Amino acid sequence: MDEKRALLRHTVAALAYRAARALENSPESFATFDGAGRQPAQILAHMGDLFDWAISISEGNQRWHISNPLDWAGEQQRFFATLRAFDAYLASGEPLHAPIEQLFQGPVADALTHVGQLAMLRRLAACPTCGENFFVATITAGRVGADQAAAVQPFR
């Protein structure tokens, strides 16, 4: 695997890690928190749409759709499923029908922004996440589900 593709896979794994931290132990009521624009369930549905789009771009059949949010647990499962599918395509060695830089600057970077939104909304909704030192986090390419390694240096 070339270095750019490997770096994109690591970035997707870092996104999964950060998303898992932003979502873990979030109450069902957080999904519909209405304190700052779009609700968390809408943001997470959009993030799933971003990776459906990323897969379609990678396969050379670009298409975009807007999903209605599922229930909170279902939307979390959908997001990680789309992330796994995108990572699996990257790992497959199949040709990418778009430059890696554009895959990063479009769907991946957008999703990173939305993970930060979710973390901020958790604090506004009075159910904050536990911060941590992400520099020392155990992040491994291919580990892109909700089940992530424990925090190495949480901020308590």
Side-chain angles (χ1 to χ4, degrees):
M1 179 174 300
D2 71 39
E3 288 182 22
K4 285 183 179 182
R5 199 164 180 150
L7 181 58
L8 186 59
R9 286 196 70 216
H10 183 80
T11 304
V12 169
L15 169 65
Y17 183 92
R18 286 174 174 256
R21 290 295 182 262
L23 297 169
E24 71 185 352
N25 301 317
S26 60
E28 180 76 29
S29 60
F30 176 64
T32 56
F33 175 68
D34 213 6
R38 287 195 292 178
Q39 296 177 346
Q42 295 169 318
I43 294 168
L44 196 55
H46 173 66
M47 290 168 65
D49 293 345
L50 286 170
F51 286 97
D52 282 340
W53 181 46
I55 294 163
S56 73
I57 293 168
S58 299
E59 294 173 337
N61 185 26
Q62 184 174 174
R63 62 192 174 283
W64 176 256
H65 65 93
I66 298 172
S67 298
N68 290 319
L70 304 171
D71 64 86
W72 190 230
E75 202 55 62
Q76 290 179 57
Q77 291 169 358
R78 176 179 172 260
F79 167 69
F80 286 110
T82 61
L83 208 54
R84 277 192 298 276
F86 180 58
D87 183 69
Y89 191 87
L90 293 174
S92 74
E94 289 293 320
L96 294 174
H97 295 275
I100 288 174
E101 295 85 354
Q102 286 183 290
L103 288 166
F104 174 80
Q105 75 190 31
V108 176
D110 194 17
L112 284 165
T113 299
H114 293 309
V115 167
Q117 272 185 300
L118 291 171
M120 178 195 69
L121 288 171
R122 288 282 304 264
R123 185 165 296 280
L124 291 172
C127 55
T129 63
C130 178
E132 69 178 274
N133 181 344
F134 289 110
F135 182 77
V136 298
T138 304
I139 296 173
T140 307
R143 190 169 192 173
V144 293
D147 182 28
Q148 293 289 325
V152 175
Q153 266 184 6
F155 302 144
R156 303 246 185 246

